[in-house]
Amino acid sequence: MAREKMIEKEVGSYISTLLREYFGKGPSSVYVTVADPYIVIHLRGFLAPTEKILLKQNETRRILETRDILMNDLRAEITLELFKIGNFQVTEIYADWNLEEQTGLIMGIFERPAGIALKDCLKEVKNQKFLKAVEEVFEKVQKVPDSFEIYSLNDRTVLIERSGIFIHIEIELIRAGFFEELKLVKRPLERKMLEQLELGQNIREVFLDWNFDEDKGYIILILQPEKS
């Protein structure tokens, strides 16, 4: 446990420094969760001075497109540094941003040993009422995925892994290279629906990202801490 906390602290420090170098301002706080095979990095207080000006001018799209470009450029560097810090063999990196709240989330997926299933690593959420509510959201915004699983990473972080999610017109848009357009349309719609889910704890934030080539996606729900 002590080693895990040390790794989380070191990753948080590295990400803060990296974002400050590339964006001119780092986040005010970084919360890192390592839950095999995921590493989730939640950022708060993250909006560069130039981005604040663009946001006031309703240039949200320009900010998001610029961040996507930078993240695509940084993926290799982040992957290498996570290996140096925690010996994580990261195979995928996802990111999403909530500009209004000045928050963001970066998620890495690292390799599991052969023969070790995801269900053996994480606490699976089996609340039938919640599972049904999630399925209804998917059905309203596009279609029910071919498969989806829900896992609790800790007491305030829930992950939804889904595959087989795109409808025919989305597949054609992906083939035509309209990735950014899909993200800009899908994120606000899905986020609004997912924020209304009943989970026993209030949902503080929703982050989403997709792997368009493999027809899969991830959702991270950040929950309000339970009152003691």
Side-chain angles (χ1 to χ4, degrees):
M1 183 62 71
R3 179 179 178 275
E4 184 177 287
K5 291 298 181 185
M6 182 181 70
I7 288 173
E8 290 176 353
K9 183 177 180 180
E10 193 169 345
V11 170
S13 177
Y14 160 69
I15 291 295
S16 290
T17 301
L18 179 72
L19 295 180
R20 187 176 300 110
E21 177 183 345
Y22 276 83
F23 288 87
K25 178 189 181 300
S28 60
S29 59
V30 181
Y31 301 91
V32 180
T33 299
V34 176
D36 186 8
Y38 300 106
I39 179 164
V40 174
I41 304 164
H42 185 209
L43 314 169
R44 300 181 69 181
F46 179 52
L47 194 67
T50 53
E51 292 178 329
K52 288 182 180 180
I53 296 171
L54 289 170
L55 192 59
K56 287 180 181 179
Q57 297 174 352
N58 296 316
E59 293 284 357
T60 300
R61 175 169 181 157
R62 186 182 298 184
I63 299 171
L64 294 174
E65 287 178 343
T66 301
R67 287 192 176 191
D68 277 351
I69 291 169
L70 285 170
M71 281 304 301
N72 286 336
D73 192 52
L74 291 174
R75 275 180 168 82
E77 182 176 341
I78 293 172
T79 297
L80 178 61
E81 195 63 28
L82 290 179
F83 177 76
K84 290 179 180 178
I85 293 173
N87 199 32
F88 300 126
Q89 295 278 3
V90 175
T91 57
E92 300 172 68
I93 291 179
Y94 297 87
D96 188 19
W97 317 101
N98 186 334
L99 299 179
E100 295 292 340
E101 297 296 327
Q102 299 187 24
T103 59
L105 187 133
I106 300 169
M107 185 185 80
I109 304 176
F110 47 91
E111 289 183 345
R112 297 189 300 279
I116 302 298
L118 189 58
K119 292 180 180 180
D120 297 332
C121 301
L122 299 172
K123 179 182 176 183
E124 188 175 5
V125 175
K126 297 183 179 181
N127 183 310
Q128 291 301 312
K129 182 180 178 182
F130 179 61
L131 292 173
K132 182 64 176 176
V134 170
E135 187 173 302
E136 289 175 354
V137 168
F138 292 153
E139 192 170 19
K140 288 178 182 178
V141 298
Q142 48 185 19
K143 70 165 189 172
V144 177
D146 293 346
S147 65
F148 71 93
E149 304 288 346
I150 305 177
Y151 300 97
S152 176
L153 305 189
N154 56 33
D155 59 1
R156 61 186 296 272
T157 310
V158 172
L159 179 144
I160 303 173
E161 179 186 56
R162 50 186 174 154
S163 61
I165 55 181
F166 300 122
I167 60 177
H168 293 304
I169 191 169
E170 290 175 328
I171 292 170
E172 292 304 317
L173 287 169
I174 291 165
R175 286 173 179 166
F178 292 101
F179 306 114
E180 288 299 326
E181 287 78 4
L182 267 178
K183 287 181 180 180
L184 290 168
V185 171
K186 288 171 69 66
R187 273 191 173 128
L189 177 60
E190 290 195 27
R191 181 177 285 130
K192 183 178 179 180
M193 299 293 291
L194 289 162
E195 285 173 344
Q196 300 171 20
L197 287 171
E198 295 291 336
L199 189 56
Q201 287 175 255
N202 290 332
I203 295 174
R204 185 172 186 169
E205 288 191 272
V206 177
F207 296 99
L208 312 97
D209 203 5
W210 300 268
N211 184 323
F212 292 110
D213 293 331
E214 297 186 15
D215 193 3
K216 66 178 183 178
Y218 294 89
I219 299 167
I220 295 287
L221 307 178
I222 304 295
L223 309 180
Q224 290 280 10
E226 291 183 313
K227 294 181 179 180
S228 54

